[in-house]
Amino acid sequence: MAKLYFRYGAMNSGKSTSLLQAAYNYEERGQHVLLAKPAIDTKGVSQIDSRLGMTREVDFLIGADDDARALFAERNRGRDIACLLIDEAQFLTAEQVDDLFRIAVEDGIPVLAYGIRNDFLTHAFPGSARLLAIAHSLEELKTICRCGRKAVFNGRVIGGRFVFDGDQVAIDEGADGSAAPEVTTYESLCGSCYLGESGGRLG
């Protein structure tokens, strides 16, 4: 039976690089894969971008109201697809994660989903929460905090300062969700450094 895999980690843990490597491994053996990501991830628009400089176009984007299984079936028609790879899986809805589960179990196609577990306030993303609940296999991709400890949280930085208010999703936006001249970035932090920056606040 094919499985649904969730490979997760804090920001900058090499998730996109790992996904692109997995795609390469399949294709090196003459097998075909499909790559997808949620449309809400406007970074790179229709590309998967790795910090190491590797990029690749996705085969399809998944909109907030889309049926992920139907999109996959449409792209898979008449093709022998060996694997479906999903980047930024935290942005999927719980229903779309259920679609991925059905692709694996009922359609017999392995699904490798990559994403982060929680947002900058330590709350689980809907897609990640569902993946943690139903994925057959969970694998943590590790990275380190600036202090050298294992990073588990994602701090949001705007204008060089950590912020702890705002919408759950902010991609190149200001803290109020509007376009802003100050770029939104994220830093991977261990629990101790996160609490230090937040003044002891969790969520």
Side-chain angles (χ1 to χ4, degrees):
M1 181 185 73
K3 296 181 180 180
L4 170 60
Y5 299 81
F6 184 34
R7 296 176 176 171
Y8 64 90
M11 300 289 291
N12 302 324
S13 58
K15 297 179 296 299
S16 296
T17 301
S18 179
L19 182 154
L20 294 173
Q21 180 67 54
Y24 177 84
N25 290 345
Y26 273 98
E27 292 171 338
E28 187 179 37
R29 290 158 178 77
Q31 298 177 311
H32 303 292
V33 299
L34 287 176
L35 279 64
K37 73 174 187 176
I40 193 174
D41 177 35
T42 56
K43 176 172 47 66
V45 189
S46 61
Q47 287 186 331
I48 294 174
D49 296 322
S50 162
R51 286 186 303 128
L52 298 185
M54 297 181 292
T55 63
R56 177 165 169 168
E57 289 288 323
V58 297
D59 296 287
F60 62 97
L61 296 170
I62 304 171
D65 299 319
D66 287 340
D67 180 320
R69 189 181 183 194
L71 287 175
F72 171 75
E74 181 181 325
R75 302 313 189 279
N76 188 32
R77 188 173 295 121
R79 302 173 67 184
D80 183 19
I81 299 300
C83 184
L84 171 62
L85 299 107
I86 307 286
D87 199 27
E88 304 293 354
Q90 71 272 7
F91 296 139
L92 297 173
T93 66
E95 293 77 15
Q96 289 167 340
V97 172
D98 290 350
D99 291 338
L100 301 185
F101 186 85
R102 292 187 175 95
I103 291 170
V105 173
E106 297 182 356
D107 301 333
I109 307 295
V111 180
L112 279 60
Y114 294 78
I116 58 179
R117 287 187 304 172
N118 44 43
D119 64 19
F120 73 112
L121 295 176
T122 72
H123 300 150
F125 284 96
S128 300
R130 190 63 179 150
L131 281 160
L132 289 167
I134 69 171
H136 297 93
S137 174
L138 303 173
E139 178 185 347
E140 183 178 16
L141 304 177
K142 299 176 179 64
T143 190
I144 59 170
C145 176
R146 60 192 179 195
C147 70
R149 298 187 186 99
K150 176 185 166 184
V152 293
F153 295 124
N154 307 293
R156 180 179 288 175
V157 181
I158 299 178
R161 299 179 60 185
F162 284 94
V163 298
F164 296 91
D165 292 293
D167 294 335
Q168 185 174 57
V169 179
I171 301 171
D172 294 331
E173 293 178 340
D176 62 355
S178 62
E182 295 179 313
V183 174
T184 300
T185 60
Y186 294 87
E187 182 179 340
S188 304
L189 299 170
C190 70
S192 178
C193 288
Y194 184 93
L195 289 173
E197 293 292 348
S198 70
R201 172 180 172 181
L202 272 177

